Amino acid sequence: MTAKLIEGGPIAEAIKDQARRDVEALGRAPKLVGILASDNPGAKYYAKSQEKACAEVGIEYELHDLDPGSSAADLKAHIAEINADDSVTGTILLMPVPEGVDPREVQQAINPDKDVEGVHPANIGKLFYGDFSLAPCTPYAVVAMLQDAGVELKGKETVVIGHSEIVGKPTLVMLLQSVMESPTVTCCHIATRDLALHTGRAEVLIVAAGKAGLVSGDMVREGAVIIDVGINRVKVEVEGKKKTKIVGDVEFEAASEKASMITPVPGGVGLVTTAMLLKNTVECARRQA
Ligand code: NAD
């Protein structure tokens, strides 16, 4: 079997088109504030790409560049100002936060109606009731891609690799909801004894571990649907020169021979995740209107 690609591009474009129409209907550009308190080049790059994505649909983006030495109290005070500012629709706390600061403590200070990343306990808690209106962006992207590809989940053996708070756990909770047709969900993680035992029976396999090559072709069940969330930078040699390449957690070529559908990396979940941020910003604007 050669797998059909579930590409992120067209799904992301459809979400963005809707966001653009929603912004027009609001009659006022929503404003997203990114809070940066580090010199991390990755975080700065991420902020730039958020700004670009926002511009595409008419959302204003503002970066608040705070001292990398900020304390949790400093960050919470800044968030309190944003919460009170009616001109701000939503906010994102960019990772990493300064050393010694617990990101959870700071994220809890965000007004849940301005929580575009869906990381506040109030929004995460709503996932238990099947309310995905402000769901965390990557898990939201995973379920949207399954739905868009028309994957029937009812009764399916569905395996999620990874149990992080930002990707794995919310994905599990979302999949368990009846709106997702309640597949049988298994969670694998670093302490799982025999990963291949689980992946080998997965009709739907979602991989979010951050380990290049974790899932090899022989670990994949014939006909499986694979959503590869992983983003890994690996060094490869091209014509004698060392280059950096972005790959997922799944050995793409080998897995494609057995799977029925697979997401590419790059060009898969990442694009839809960014689009979900815009969708969530529109939802925050609606809540505040
Ligand atoms: P994390 O490091 O917080 O969690 C990794 C998870 O994988 C943990 O639950 C861990 O137990 C599990 N794991 C690690 N090694 C394993 C192994 N050998 N076997 C089984 N399980 C193992 O990472 P995260 O924030 O959840 O991100 C996971 C990956 O997804 C990363 O590559 C990250 O870059 C990527 N990511 C992509 C997007 C996107 O938009 N596509 C968004 C967020 C994260």
Side-chain angles (χ1 to χ4, degrees):
M1 181 175 285
T2 304
K4 178 176 172 274
L5 272 189
I6 308 176
E7 290 186 273
I11 302 172
E13 281 313 312
I15 296 166
K16 283 190 203 171
D17 283 347
Q18 186 59 53
R20 201 175 290 118
R21 285 194 293 273
D22 290 343
V23 166
E24 272 168 26
L26 283 166
R28 174 184 152 188
K31 182 157 93 181
L32 188 53
V33 169
I35 302 173
L36 178 71
S38 83
D39 293 323
N40 185 292
K44 288 184 178 173
Y45 175 80
Y46 187 41
K48 275 267 162 247
S49 61
Q50 284 171 350
E51 184 175 6
K52 193 167 152 261
C54 283
E56 280 181 55
V57 302
I59 295 171
E60 201 183 312
Y61 186 87
E62 205 172 270
L63 185 65
H64 291 189
D65 208 343
L66 305 190
D67 183 351
S70 300
S71 65
D74 296 335
L75 294 175
K76 287 198 284 185
H78 193 77
I79 287 173
E81 281 174 29
I82 288 171
N83 287 343
D85 184 344
D86 289 341
S87 76
V88 179
T89 312
T91 190
I92 296 173
L93 179 66
L94 288 147
M95 298 293 145
V97 289
E99 226 179 285
V101 172
D102 176 1
R104 266 189 259 173
E105 181 190 340
V106 182
Q107 282 166 336
Q108 284 179 36
I110 297 173
N111 174 346
D113 289 340
K114 294 193 177 189
D115 173 31
V116 293
E117 287 193 301
V119 291
H120 190 282
N123 291 318
I124 294 174
K126 282 183 181 167
L127 300 180
F128 273 75
Y129 304 127
D131 177 348
F132 298 172
S133 55
L134 275 182
C137 300
T138 303
Y140 207 0
V142 169
V143 301
M145 291 178 92
L146 288 170
Q147 283 176 324
D148 190 88
V151 178
E152 218 178 89
L153 288 169
K154 196 171 176 63
K156 289 268 169 75
E157 291 294 336
T158 301
V159 172
V160 179
I161 305 180
H163 71 335
S164 70
E165 284 165 18
I166 191 71
V167 187
K169 278 187 202 163
T171 303
L172 288 159
V173 173
M174 292 172 86
L175 287 170
L176 281 170
Q177 301 309 317
S178 47
V179 63
M180 295 305 298
E181 305 171 315
S182 308
T184 299
V185 186
T186 303
C187 178
C188 297
H189 44 74
I190 191 74
T192 298
R193 269 181 300 190
D194 187 348
L195 195 61
L197 174 84
H198 298 284
T199 59
R201 54 175 191 73
E203 296 172 279
V204 179
L205 179 61
I206 296 154
V207 193
K211 296 268 159 72
L214 179 67
V215 176
S216 54
D218 57 353
M219 291 167 72
V220 171
R221 177 172 169 163
E222 199 72 42
V225 174
I226 303 177
I227 307 286
D228 191 352
V229 183
I231 299 177
N232 308 288
R233 281 178 177 77
V234 293
K235 294 259 183 263
V236 288
E237 214 170 283
V238 182
E239 292 161 3
K241 282 189 189 150
K242 285 225 169 6
K243 289 200 166 166
T244 304
K245 190 180 166 199
I246 305 284
V247 297
D249 290 349
V250 178
E251 280 184 3
F252 183 80
E253 305 294 341
S256 298
E257 291 300 315
K258 288 174 86 181
S260 61
M261 294 190 207
I262 190 165
T263 59
V265 179
V269 178
L271 294 176
V272 185
T273 295
T274 308
M276 286 306 184
L277 185 71
L278 308 176
K279 181 180 162 80
N280 280 353
T281 305
V282 170
E283 171 62 20
C284 287
R286 268 203 210 107
R287 289 185 184 197
Q288 288 152 43

